[in-house]
């Protein structure tokens, strides 16, 4: 997906009704020794980092349970849409664990330190409406009879992104992600570098021409 220039948005959804991702199989985990557990979690953390590093926007469609590593998967995405009835939480402390695939880092960046500590320390599960109220998800929607309301809303969101200039969107994502890791002065410099890369693109020229000619732009990602 990273190298496919035809891909402009990635939506993560489950094929299992009522479950987005229920996290690790603790029965399987119980059969591992300490070294195997460490390697398993390291690989899982690397996978989440790979998802977070995808250059195009990513949307998690949470139509059911997103627990432990399942919520960490959603947190690795740029945007999250949840059914109001969905249940999500970093529940690791209720099993003698702590989040190990990015949850301790991405949740506070998403909802703030205080709320993140409360959710992680208690292992509490919240529904889609609660998640929306604290900014954990972008949108919460009533579940439908097919059980895919979040996915349908995610598609609407994806279709809002699709017409926009692909390279500009990628640079916007890069500037936000990298800028959040540094002080604001350094972030401004990152924005400037990303903007500079966008200046010579055909899409920028097309956007300006379309504005002058009062027509919809036809972006190509070049």
């Amino acid at each position: 997906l990273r190298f496919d220039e035809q891909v402009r948005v990635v939506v993560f959804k489950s094929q299992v009704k009522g479950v987005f991702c229920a996290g690790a199989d603790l029965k399987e985990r119980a059969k591992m020794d300490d070294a195997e557990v460490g390697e398993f979690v390291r690989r899982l953390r690397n996978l989440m980092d790979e998802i977070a590093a995808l250059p195009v926007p990513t949307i998690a469609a949470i139509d059911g349970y997103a627990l432990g590593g399942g919520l960490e998967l959603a947190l690795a995405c740029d945007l999250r849409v949840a059914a109001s009835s969905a249940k999500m939480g970093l529940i690791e402390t209720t099993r003698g664990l702590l989040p190990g695939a990015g949850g301790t880092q991405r949740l506070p960046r998403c909802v703030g330190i205080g709320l993140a500590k409360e959710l992680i320390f208690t292992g509490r599960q919240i529904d889609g409406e609660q998640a929306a109220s604290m900014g954990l998800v972008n949108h919460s929607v009533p579940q439908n009879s097919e059980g895919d309301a979040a996915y349908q809303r995610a598609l609407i969101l994806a279709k809002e992104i699709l017409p926009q200039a692909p390279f500009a969107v990628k640079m916007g994502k890069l500037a936000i992600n990298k800028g959040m890791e540094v002080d604001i002065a350094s972030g401004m410099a990152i924005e400037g570098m990303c903007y500079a890369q966008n200046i010579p693109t055909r899409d920028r020229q097309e956007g300006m021409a379309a504005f002058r000619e009062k027509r919809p732009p036809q972006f190509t990602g070049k």
Side-chain angles (χ1 to χ4, degrees):
L1 291 173
R2 174 180 292 178
F3 302 107
D4 187 342
E5 294 188 358
Q6 300 303 309
V7 174
R8 297 194 180 184
V9 184
V10 176
V11 178
F12 287 81
K13 71 180 291 289
S14 173
Q15 298 281 55
V16 181
K17 191 172 183 179
V19 179
F20 173 72
C21 178
D25 182 346
L26 295 184
K27 292 180 181 178
E28 176 189 53
R29 185 77 66 83
K31 298 175 183 177
M32 299 179 184
D33 61 30
D34 290 356
E36 290 172 325
V37 170
E39 175 62 13
F40 178 90
V41 174
R42 185 192 65 78
R43 291 177 60 194
L44 192 62
R45 188 183 303 116
N46 289 344
L47 172 62
M48 300 308 176
D49 288 346
E50 291 285 334
I51 291 169
L54 282 171
V56 298
T58 54
I59 307 173
I62 307 169
D63 272 308
Y65 286 95
L67 304 175
L71 182 54
E72 289 178 307
L73 168 59
L75 284 166
C77 294
D78 298 308
L79 308 173
R80 286 159 292 283
V81 179
S84 55
S85 59
K87 297 290 185 183
M88 59 199 84
L90 294 179
I91 61 170
E92 285 86 350
T93 56
T94 69
R95 301 291 184 268
L97 306 166
L98 73 153
T104 64
Q105 302 306 301
R106 293 193 174 99
L107 186 62
R109 284 169 167 79
C110 186
V111 303
I113 293 173
L115 267 176
K117 285 180 176 178
E118 181 175 336
L119 292 173
I120 290 173
F121 295 171
T122 63
R124 184 185 305 149
Q125 296 184 33
I126 59 174
D127 63 26
E129 290 185 4
Q130 291 171 304
S133 71
M134 63 178 64
L136 177 54
V137 302
N138 297 75
H139 304 279
S140 174
V141 292
Q143 188 54 280
N144 58 29
S145 57
E146 288 77 24
D148 68 347
Y151 175 60
Q152 295 302 325
R153 183 64 182 85
L155 287 180
I156 292 171
L157 187 54
K159 288 173 182 175
E160 285 187 74
I161 298 170
L162 283 177
Q164 316 316 326
F167 188 75
V169 170
K170 289 179 181 179
M171 287 296 101
K173 173 173 176 171
L174 183 64
I176 293 169
N177 285 354
K178 296 300 182 184
M180 287 296 293
E181 299 171 3
V182 298
D183 63 271
I184 192 165
S186 301
M188 292 297 186
I190 291 169
E191 181 185 273
M193 288 185 286
C194 290
Y195 198 96
Q197 291 184 62
N198 192 68
I199 289 174
T201 62
R202 295 178 191 172
D203 278 353
R204 188 183 74 87
Q205 296 168 354
E206 166 62 11
M208 298 297 100
F211 177 77
R212 289 194 306 270
E213 298 163 15
K214 298 181 179 180
R215 60 173 176 80
Q218 300 295 319
F219 296 123
T220 61
K222 303 295 184 183

